[in-house]
């Protein structure tokens, strides 16, 4: 014989208000899930999360910081520093030398700064000051940035060609030397 099993207490069947409450809870959960999915789709369309109250990588940068970041990312530190030297030339060499000599170009591969002077006397003077100037520039820009300063003297007068010149003439240099 089988033993009679004890009767399990039946869960009362929901009716009326209880059934409505349970349906409302389920509907709210489904709406929350749909809302979260819709929010994720919306964020994906906009390009991800938006910046909030705290700073993060997507916030706008001040112009100076953006330029510095660009220079660093592209590896333009040395050319930018040398360009700054050309702008600060009078402070680096002194006002008297800056009046008579000005930087022309910088060759990054050879690390040579070319400077032109307005007279041969100033060109000679700058050639004598070149080692000191190279040391000062490297102290300001970083070791090894400038290896040599190429000093150019004043440019001669431009060559003029025309009907009043003798054929084969080299201009003023013919008579002076």
């Amino acid at each position: 014989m089988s033993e009679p099993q004890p009767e399990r207490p039946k869960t009362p069947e929901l009716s009326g208000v209880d059934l409505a409450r349970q349906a409302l809870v389920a509907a709210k959960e489904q709406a929350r899930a749909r809302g979260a999915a819709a929010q994720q789709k919306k964020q994906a369309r906009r390009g991800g999360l938006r910046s909030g109250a705290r700073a993060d990588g997507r916030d706008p940068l001040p112009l100076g910081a953006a330029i510095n970041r660009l220079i660093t990312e592209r590896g333009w530190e040395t050319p930018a520093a040398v360009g700054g030297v050309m702008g600060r030339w009078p402070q680096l060499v002194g006002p008297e030398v800056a009046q008579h000599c000005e930087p022309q170009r910088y060759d990054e591969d050879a690390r040579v700064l070319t400077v032109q002077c307005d007279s041969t006397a100033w060109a000679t003077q700058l050639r004598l000051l070149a080692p000191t100037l190279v040391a000062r520039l490297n102290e300001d820009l970083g070791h090894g940035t400038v290896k040599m300063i190429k000093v150019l003297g004043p440019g001669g007068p431009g060559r003029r060609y025309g009907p009043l010149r003798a054929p084969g003439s080299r201009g003023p240099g013919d008579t002076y030397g």
Side-chain angles (χ1 to χ4, degrees):
M1 286 188 66
S2 67
E3 291 185 22
Q5 293 186 359
E7 287 186 33
R8 293 183 195 162
K10 290 184 177 179
T11 55
E13 290 197 23
L14 301 175
S15 63
V17 175
D18 293 330
L19 189 57
R21 280 188 188 136
Q22 197 174 34
L24 179 63
V25 167
K28 282 183 178 179
E29 286 176 13
Q30 289 174 353
R32 241 184 254 122
R34 279 194 312 267
Q39 183 69 21
Q40 287 174 349
K41 284 182 185 177
K42 189 176 180 183
Q43 286 175 353
R45 268 196 311 263
R46 289 190 311 192
L49 293 172
R50 294 291 181 195
S51 181
R54 290 176 185 79
D56 63 5
R58 299 168 299 188
D59 287 340
L61 294 172
L63 182 61
I67 289 173
N68 287 338
R69 188 163 110 188
L70 179 69
I71 287 172
T72 303
E73 287 173 357
R74 303 287 171 123
W76 296 338
E77 290 94 355
T78 301
V82 171
V85 163
M86 297 209 182
R88 294 179 295 130
W89 184 250
Q91 289 93 9
L92 291 171
V93 297
E96 189 176 7
V97 175
Q99 249 180 352
H100 300 283
C101 305
E102 65 180 28
Q104 297 295 311
R105 63 188 158 275
Y106 175 72
D107 183 6
E108 190 174 353
D109 297 331
R111 300 184 185 268
V112 175
L113 179 66
T114 304
V115 179
Q116 182 157 19
C117 299
D118 61 0
S119 71
T120 54
W122 276 104
T124 303
Q125 181 68 22
L126 196 64
R127 282 186 190 102
L128 295 172
L129 290 174
T132 307
L133 192 55
V134 166
R136 189 179 309 167
L137 290 171
N138 283 332
E139 182 181 305
D140 191 47
L141 300 173
H143 182 68
T145 304
V146 177
K147 289 186 177 178
M148 187 176 94
I149 294 180
K150 182 179 178 182
V151 180
L152 302 176
R159 303 268 182 198
R160 293 188 359 224
Y161 300 98
L164 300 178
R165 296 276 177 227
S169 156
R170 294 184 316 205
D174 277 351
T175 57
Y176 298 115

